[in-house]
Amino acid sequence: MEGNYYFVYILASMSGTLYIGVTNNLKRRLAEHRTKIHLKSFTARYDCKRLVYYERLLDISDAIAREKELKGWLRCKKVALIKSRNPGWRDIATRWKLPVAVPYDE
């Protein structure tokens, strides 16, 4: 999956809060979100850790542009995009065996 690709991804919390990001290593970045490596980050604060959508692109400029585009959409359009590929909002990464707990105490 990784390699010379860039990923635009959407994470969701159990309450439905959405986070959109971009990375060149989706598994590593998702593990960082799930372990709350950045304790004061948006994803740590709102517990966004379910990967509900991603796109793979070849060019970083295209990935950043797509991330900005998605962030500019209304929530209803983001939800429609997620539902178009993942109607049950299941965690796409469940088979990746990533950590899910905070690895250390603050």
Side-chain angles (χ1 to χ4, degrees):
M1 170 187 255
E2 311 305 332
N4 296 328
Y5 295 106
Y6 300 91
F7 300 88
V8 177
Y9 61 95
I10 302 177
L11 303 180
S13 70
M14 292 307 289
S15 64
T17 301
L18 299 177
Y19 172 82
I20 299 172
V22 65
T23 185
N24 67 338
N25 187 322
L26 188 55
K27 289 181 182 180
R28 175 193 46 80
R29 189 66 182 115
L30 186 54
E32 291 173 356
H33 287 302
R34 290 186 175 186
T35 58
K36 299 183 181 179
I37 193 166
H38 304 289
L39 293 173
K40 295 183 180 183
S41 69
F42 181 91
T43 57
R45 217 173 349 177
Y46 293 96
D47 204 28
C48 296
K49 59 186 177 186
R50 286 185 306 136
L51 178 65
V52 293
Y53 180 87
Y54 73 91
E55 297 176 10
R56 186 172 66 177
L57 297 104
L58 292 172
D59 183 80
I60 186 60
S61 298
D62 292 340
I64 292 169
R66 181 63 170 159
E67 176 196 27
K68 288 180 181 180
E69 177 185 15
L70 294 179
K71 285 183 173 183
W73 287 4
L74 294 174
R75 178 180 171 79
C76 61
K77 192 169 179 180
K78 295 172 193 175
V79 167
L81 177 67
I82 294 165
K83 286 183 176 182
S84 72
R85 293 202 190 154
N86 187 0
W89 288 60
R90 65 180 172 75
D91 184 354
I92 297 167
T94 53
R95 296 183 184 158
W96 295 354
K97 296 182 177 41
L98 299 172
V100 293
V102 177
Y104 56 86
D105 292 329
E106 197 176 18

